[in-house]
Amino acid sequence: MTDELVERELAHEQGFVDRVHARLEDAGKAAQQLAREGHDRGRLGHEGGLVERDAMVFQAAKRMAQLDAAHEGLVFGRLDLRPDLDPEPRYVGRIGLRDENHDSMLIDWRAPAAAVFYQATAAEPQNVVRRRVLRSAGTTVTSLEDELLDAEGNTDDLPILGEGALMAQLSRARDRTMHSIVATIQAEQDKAIRAPSKGVTMISGGPGVGKTVVALHRAAYLLYTDRRRYEKGGVLIVGPSGVFMRYIERVLPSLGETAVALRSLGEVVDGVRATRHDEPAVADIKGSARMAELMRRAARQQAPGSPREFRTFWYDNSITLDRGQLGRLRRQLMSHGRRNRQLPRIVPTLLDAMWRQVRSERGRDRGRESFDDDMLGNDDFLDFAASWWPPVTATDVLGWLRDPELLARVGDGIVTPEEQRLLLKSWGSAGGPDGPDGEAGPIDLSVADVALLDELRYAVGDVPVRTDDERDDPLALIDGAVDIAELMTAADREYAPSGRAWTPPTHSIDDDGFAHVLIDEAQDLTPMQWRMVGRRGRTASWTIVGDPAQSSWPVPAEAREARDEALAGKQVHDFHLSTNYRNSSEIYDFAAAYAERVGLDADLPTAVRSTGVEPLVIEAADRSGDLESAVREAVVEAAGQVDGTVGIVVPVARRSEVNSWLASWPELADDARGARAAVDSSVAPSGDDRVVVLTGLDTKGLEFDAIVVVRPQEIEEESLTGRATLYVVLTRATQLLTTVS
């Protein structure tokens, strides 16, 4: 292969790419003009003009966002078919594009016409003679990688360049974010991407097989094939951590898709964000399915501090609502449904119970209507009703559980006394000094708490949102929490004060559903997290990605039961990926040997790439200074040998210690900035920083050019699933792996 041939082919492809970008620029200008026209139409001043304007501006904005995202390697593929079938090459890109004559210029990678780009093989070329991958830096074509699929069909003597697109992709340096594999999708991956849209698509396989990136490409494919459904209903992508979500956040925009909600497990519930992780023993309790019953019981408790009885006098009648009677009324109301949904029934229920105690002749002569009017004008009664059954939030109820007596009562038969002690320690005790006036401050939510909070949301129902006029009106708290006409019986409405209604909340539990739910690292979801995510996908299609051998949840059967309940009634499509594209064979053989040695039932894929560099095991003395010296030497050497990222993986207890070391190493002064930023695992390092410190669980779904594992035996001992976590850690490196034991 001569340099002249390569230069000629590069120039030819550059000419086509230049034409595509020129056409793209014209399309961008057209979108901007459409937006301007939309604004101009809004100046017409009538409702029809405003509606039309909003629709035009919305469509134009979507198109501009798509075009902007597409500039990253816009054209990446070319297909040359048998000349007798189609003499013109077909180009494949991140979006579809037509020329001035409305003829296809660039085929969207998700279109049926592009499927052959991924599915053709030398054994089954599907009329493809040559498949070419174009690599670009900005708008400049930098290299070409060809595969000859049909030698007999190569009657035009097409030149074949490069080492093969896949191997070139696998050997490149990693940076701080995941990139799309749209140019190098393999046949088994393409089948999973293009699976039927209905039901559940399960993507399994061992480390490095591309499960995550395949699932993200599937999300883009679904949006392309049924945009109306998935944009209207929404696509929810759930991952294990904030670091992971920021790692993958560029993939879908680079494929031309922006209408997706990316949330870590601590962010699934609207308005809530948690990044703190509990100690493993506490997380195991909070994640267990039995916590659903504990939350249900807690939601039915009388609000702490609420009155236990009410007494009044009315026309020779002494009326008393004592503790026993109020308890019966509370159970009666709870039988009708969610706690906050009963707010419209509170006043009628109390009035009914009180009227039954009116037995004097004077009282009966005045009648029920007069009784109701007098009670509704009685400030003591109104204050009692408002404080006996106040609207409560899920956060309120979770806070109740800081009371040891209440937790012991609702936790009886569910959590042991020792487990209650651990939960109280996690949430902080009631009446502590951390809030104003000696009151306990808000709970510092952990990731595991978010699923409990969601359970309580569904148990208590949405909290009504009051209008400004109602905020200081005690009666407004109790007489119209939601649509009274919908929720109250005819008898309720007879006694309900008129003219008072709640403003509906801007987001309710009825709005949580999505059209598609994608779960990554699904093997780590606790039963409570499956319940939380399941509520958001009752009518959705699903993509579920995972590897049981990498699970950090100690009771897999319990999690599977919760998962099956979340997916009940949905057809399941299984896809298994068997080729490890991430690790060198030397690194993966090391990790696989560990998995077999410690008894993990691991799915062992085949690594397709060899570097000739074996993993390095360093024995360091127990003294801190010796450990620091050994880690420093390993990190400096790794940073000098690779061009991309270096991950230092540490036991949770050593994260701050190792971070302080890096700050004092002058030879890594620039790289250490990334490590310092990542001490809080919720922070994703930015810029060109190459070195990052993470715990074992933080590495889920990530990959680095080099990994230095500090004290692997301590990672093993951190939890019941420590061996699975260490196995995950050992499979994160693409080029170099060092353990400092």
Side-chain angles (χ1 to χ4, degrees), residues 214-334:
V214 166
L216 293 174
H217 284 67
R218 172 163 173 74
Y221 173 76
L222 292 174
L223 281 160
Y224 175 84
T225 55
D226 195 348
R227 186 167 300 280
R228 180 183 298 273
R229 174 189 174 190
Y230 291 110
E231 280 197 347
K232 181 179 179 181
V235 175
L236 173 65
I237 297 179
V238 179
S241 67
V243 170
F244 174 80
M245 301 315 289
R246 281 176 279 281
Y247 177 64
I248 68 171
E249 66 185 356
R250 284 180 53 188
V251 175
L252 284 165
S254 76
L255 298 173
E257 298 299 347
T258 55
V260 173
L262 279 77
R263 301 181 187 177
S264 69
L265 284 168
E267 300 169 319
V268 170
V269 176
D270 281 340
V272 177
R273 182 175 185 269
T275 58
R276 180 178 67 85
H277 288 279
D278 291 300
E279 295 177 359
V282 178
D284 292 349
I285 302 168
K286 291 181 179 180
S288 175
R290 57 200 160 114
M291 292 298 286
E293 174 61 17
L294 193 150
M295 295 299 113
R296 189 191 71 83
R297 291 184 187 179
R300 299 175 65 86
Q301 295 299 300
Q302 184 169 350
S306 60
R308 301 288 175 164
E309 67 173 20
F310 176 72
R311 296 179 184 273
T312 191
F313 189 81
W314 189 75
Y315 289 98
D316 302 330
N317 293 276
S318 178
I319 300 173
T320 301
L321 296 175
D322 59 23
R323 183 168 185 163
Q325 190 167 15
L326 288 174
R328 289 190 292 274
L329 292 178
R330 189 176 75 253
R331 290 189 290 275
Q332 173 190 329
L333 286 162
M334 288 293 190

Side-chain angles (χ1 to χ4, degrees), residues 9 23-24 35 72 103 183 247 258 277 285 287 332 349 402 409 485 499 509 564 579 618 636 647:
E9 290 295 307
R23 180 59 185 158
L24 183 67
E72 183 187 335
D103 293 328
Y247 177 64
T258 55
H277 288 279
I285 302 168
Q332 173 190 329
T349 299
R402 303 166 99 170
R409 185 164 66 250
I509 54 179
D564 293 344
T579 304
I618 298 175
V636 170

Side-chain angles (χ1 to χ4, degrees), residues 198-200 229 233-234 236 338 454-455 457-459 508-519 528 530-542 562-571:
K198 295 182 179 179
V200 181
R229 174 189 174 190
L236 173 65
R338 293 171 179 150
D454 194 59
E455 195 74 28
R457 281 182 70 222
Y458 281 80
S508 74
I509 54 179
D510 298 322
D511 299 327
D512 281 337
F514 286 82
H516 188 78
V517 177
L518 190 159
I519 307 295
M528 292 303 293
W530 274 115
R531 290 174 64 88
M532 173 179 68
V533 177
R535 295 186 184 100
R536 284 145 183 85
R538 289 192 176 100
T539 61
S541 56
W542 290 66
R563 182 200 67 187
D564 293 344
E565 183 178 342
L567 306 177
K570 299 181 186 293
Q571 184 179 4

Side-chain angles (χ1 to χ4, degrees), residues 78-82 85 90 116-117 119-122 124-132 147-151 153:
R78 168 176 166 161
L79 288 172
D80 292 282
L81 304 183
R82 294 178 69 100
L85 297 176
R90 298 180 184 178
V116 67
F117 182 80
Q119 296 170 359
T121 64
E124 296 184 23
Q126 300 186 46
N127 298 317
V128 177
V129 175
R130 181 182 67 179
R131 174 169 50 209
R132 167 169 287 180
E147 291 178 87
L148 180 63
L149 301 181
D150 184 356

Side-chain angles (χ1 to χ4, degrees), residues 339-347 385-386 389-393 462-488 496-506:
R339 182 188 195 107
N340 286 326
R341 286 292 183 99
Q342 308 318 309
L343 285 162
R345 293 190 169 96
I346 303 308
V347 168
W389 196 287
V392 296
T393 66
D462 290 318
V463 175
V465 178
R466 286 173 284 159
T467 64
D468 291 338
D469 293 339
E470 296 166 331
R471 294 188 188 281
D472 298 322
D473 183 353
L475 187 59
L477 289 169
I478 55 180
D479 72 345
V482 286
D483 185 350
I484 295 179
E486 174 189 353
L487 294 175
M488 295 181 67
S498 61
R500 301 177 184 273
W502 289 87
T503 302
T506 55

